[in-house]
Amino acid sequence: MPPAPTAYDVVDLIRAKRDGGRLAPDEIDWLISAYTAGDIAEEQMSALAMAILLRGMRREEISRWTQAMIDSGERLDFSGLTRSDGSRRLTTDKHSTGGVGDKITLPLAPLVASFGVPVPQLSGRGLGHTGGTLDKLESIAGWRASLSNEEMMTQLDGVGAVICAAGSGLAPADKKLYALRDVTGTVEAIPLIASSIMSKKIAEGTDALVLDVKVGSGAFMKTREDADELARTMVALGTDAGVATTALITRMDAPLGLTAGNAIEVEESLDVLSGGGPPDVVELTVELAREMLAAVGVTDVDPAQALQDGRAMDTWRQMISAQGGDPDAALPQAAHSHTITAGVSGTVTRLDAMSVGLSAWRLGAGRARKEDPVQAGAGVRMHAKPGDTIRAGDPLFTLLTDEETRFERAASALEGAVDVDAEGGPVEIPNLVLDRISAEDIAAGPAAQG
Ligand code: URA
């Protein structure tokens, strides 16, 4: 990173933002550079993050902040991926803002790659109630999350799909700032979420990006208004950086699919890759695949067919093997299980995503601190979703863990998580995909605020 051009008084910058002012480009460059170098105290950056949460940022401030975070580290370059005629193979990627039971990356990356489009997925581990893609894949015997840049490039060229850990050289400013936001109640600031996600995705070097912005009880964004603003801000940042970016706004009031955990989510992903699986997981996987392919000009294909005819499964097997995993190994199973049954008969009208996420986390599927281990076999199996008819005594949830003492707190997280209409009438289930936002939609849009 180049040396900071000018030194400012950080207290002046905190005061300016606190009072609703705007940070100048040079001030932002200096702040990010000095913070990454350890020259700004954590308490000062905390105060600034809180001022940003409360006061917001203008579009040009967010754009500069994102660029400064990209410049704090390395940038990957996939322009060397070419066809035999020398033409470039454009890469496409997806990012989800995180939800409960969100295993979509697992079937999606090999599905898109099965059409010859390379997918470089740099993923993270889970923190809190939402699971991490790497934690899920690490339940496969032998699978390795860390790849060198050269290994990643070779796998992208050959197999086409890579899901691996983002190296420490990518946007180091974000790593430091995210850890600080996590313990200072400032994760929810839309300008900071948008710049955090987009700095990593732009530094990753993808040509196209599809964002899955989740809204509902199990998501960061609890309201449509906030989800729209986050989506628009990220689409604007991607577009300004030359990445073909679109966003889908999708519901996260109920969990995706029928599993929340690690190995059990891999198992459900394998069902999808075998042409089966829960309808909501299949629908979102296919929708996102269409968007990712269209973003690099591939439109006359049928992703649903590639799930049925085994092409996506073939790419999955190659992708797992290339990273040392055994695609045929049995998945780990939890040592203990406990079933919760329905107290009444009727139609399920609500299943709360946050409660299921919290329960899976308490069973050992997630971690409280980033250095904690996770249990591969832990999690929650759901036996009924909104719209399903149940009878009193039917199983609602199966809780899985290696430590029986975890059942009590995990079960208490599920109290009140399910509503049942005893009349048993039909339930209207809203669409999973609520909206699509593209560069055209934000061209004349408002500047992002808090
Ligand atoms: N995910 C990120 O990478 N950053 C955020 O700030 C929030 C979610």
Side-chain angles (χ1 to χ4, degrees):
M1 182 165 194
T6 324
Y8 295 89
D9 184 342
V10 66
V11 181
D12 287 345
L13 304 186
I14 297 167
R15 282 201 194 104
K17 192 39 86 183
R18 179 198 66 190
D19 297 339
R22 209 180 281 197
L23 298 174
D26 282 353
E27 292 170 342
I28 291 173
D29 291 350
W30 176 78
L31 268 168
I32 298 293
S33 165
Y35 179 61
T36 312
D39 295 337
I40 291 182
E42 296 289 350
E43 59 270 24
Q44 292 181 310
M45 202 56 165
S46 314
L48 183 64
M50 186 58 82
I52 291 171
L53 183 137
L54 297 171
R55 291 298 198 163
M57 272 177 152
R58 312 276 311 171
R59 180 166 164 178
E60 58 276 13
E61 288 178 285
I62 305 173
S63 186
R64 190 71 176 217
W65 188 277
T66 306
Q67 189 58 50
M69 295 220 289
I70 296 168
D71 291 343
S72 73
E74 64 172 333
R75 243 180 126 143
L76 302 187
D77 177 11
F78 301 125
S79 60
L81 287 172
T82 52
R83 298 189 187 81
S84 50
D85 64 3
S87 61
R88 269 202 64 202
R89 293 174 68 197
L90 298 179
T91 56
T92 189
D93 193 8
K94 181 236 26 167
H95 180 86
S96 157
T97 56
V100 178
D102 186 358
K103 70 271 303 167
I104 302 292
T105 293
L106 274 51
L108 180 64
L111 172 60
V112 172
S114 73
F115 290 95
V117 175
V119 182
Q121 255 282 339
L122 299 184
S123 296
R125 293 196 163 70
L127 197 60
H129 74 282
T130 63
T133 299
L134 302 182
D135 294 326
K136 297 175 215 246
L137 284 168
E138 276 172 345
S139 58
I140 300 173
W143 187 84
R144 184 162 67 88
S146 291
L147 296 184
S148 67
N149 290 354
E150 292 70 32
E151 285 173 321
M152 190 178 174
M153 194 70 174
T154 306
Q155 190 171 326
L156 266 184
D157 201 20
V159 178
V162 179
I163 304 175
C164 65
S168 56
L170 214 70
D174 176 63
K175 284 204 176 59
K176 212 173 159 199
L177 185 56
Y178 191 82
L180 180 72
R181 288 166 55 212
D182 204 29
V183 294
T184 55
T186 51
V187 167
E188 290 82 359
I190 289 176
L192 296 182
I193 297 177
S195 54
S196 164
I197 292 172
M198 293 306 292
S199 62
K200 286 173 285 197
K201 288 291 158 185
I202 296 167
E204 169 196 286
T206 187
D207 294 297
L209 177 65
V210 178
L211 298 158
D212 179 4
V213 178
K214 305 244 171 249
V215 57
S217 87
F220 270 127
M221 298 295 116
K222 307 290 182 204
T223 67
R224 253 317 279 283
E225 201 188 357
D226 283 351
D228 279 4
E229 188 183 319
L230 178 61
R232 284 170 179 273
T233 307
M234 292 196 291
V235 170
L237 287 172
T239 307
D240 288 351
V243 179
T245 310
T246 54
L248 297 185
I249 309 232
T250 68
R251 283 194 300 118
M252 184 32 73
D253 35 17
L256 269 171
L258 294 167
T259 55
N262 296 308
I264 55 175
E265 290 199 38
V266 173
E267 182 192 293
E268 194 168 79
S269 304
L270 290 171
D271 291 343
V272 173
L273 287 161
S274 305
D280 56 347
V281 180
V282 176
E283 179 191 339
L284 193 52
T285 303
V286 169
E287 276 299 313
L288 287 164
R290 278 193 220 292
E291 282 289 334
M292 288 170 73
L293 289 162
V296 290
V298 179
T299 50
D300 53 348
V301 293
D302 181 5
Q305 181 58 29
L307 290 176
Q308 296 297 324
D309 64 22
R311 270 182 292 163
M313 178 64 103
D314 289 346
T315 308
W316 160 270
R317 294 177 63 83
Q318 290 168 31
M319 177 182 89
I320 296 301
S321 303
Q323 288 173 243
D326 177 356
D328 296 314
L331 290 164
Q333 295 201 0
H336 305 282
S337 72
H338 169 75
T339 303
I340 297 177
T341 54
V344 291
S345 303
T347 306
V348 176
T349 55
R350 187 183 68 93
L351 170 59
D352 182 54
M354 186 62 164
S355 308
V356 173
L358 189 57
S359 181
W361 180 65
R362 288 182 177 174
L363 287 163
R367 50 171 69 80
R369 291 167 308 160
K370 62 179 184 316
E371 51 284 350
D372 291 347
V374 296
Q375 291 182 24
V380 177
R381 282 188 195 279
M382 291 153 262
H383 300 289
K385 295 276 292 270
D388 291 345
T389 305
I390 52 164
R391 283 179 312 178
D394 281 353
L396 274 184
F397 302 105
T398 302
L399 312 189
L400 302 162
T401 182
D402 293 334
E403 295 162 78
E404 273 180 298
T405 51
R406 290 179 178 261
F407 281 136
E408 194 177 333
R409 290 193 70 231
S412 76
L414 292 169
E415 279 164 20
V418 181
D419 285 347
V420 176
D421 176 7
E423 302 290 313
V427 180
E428 200 174 317
I429 310 288
N431 287 341
L432 189 55
V433 179
L434 299 172
D435 205 356
R436 174 181 187 277
I437 291 172
S438 68
E440 293 77 55
D441 299 315
I442 48 103
Q449 291 297 314

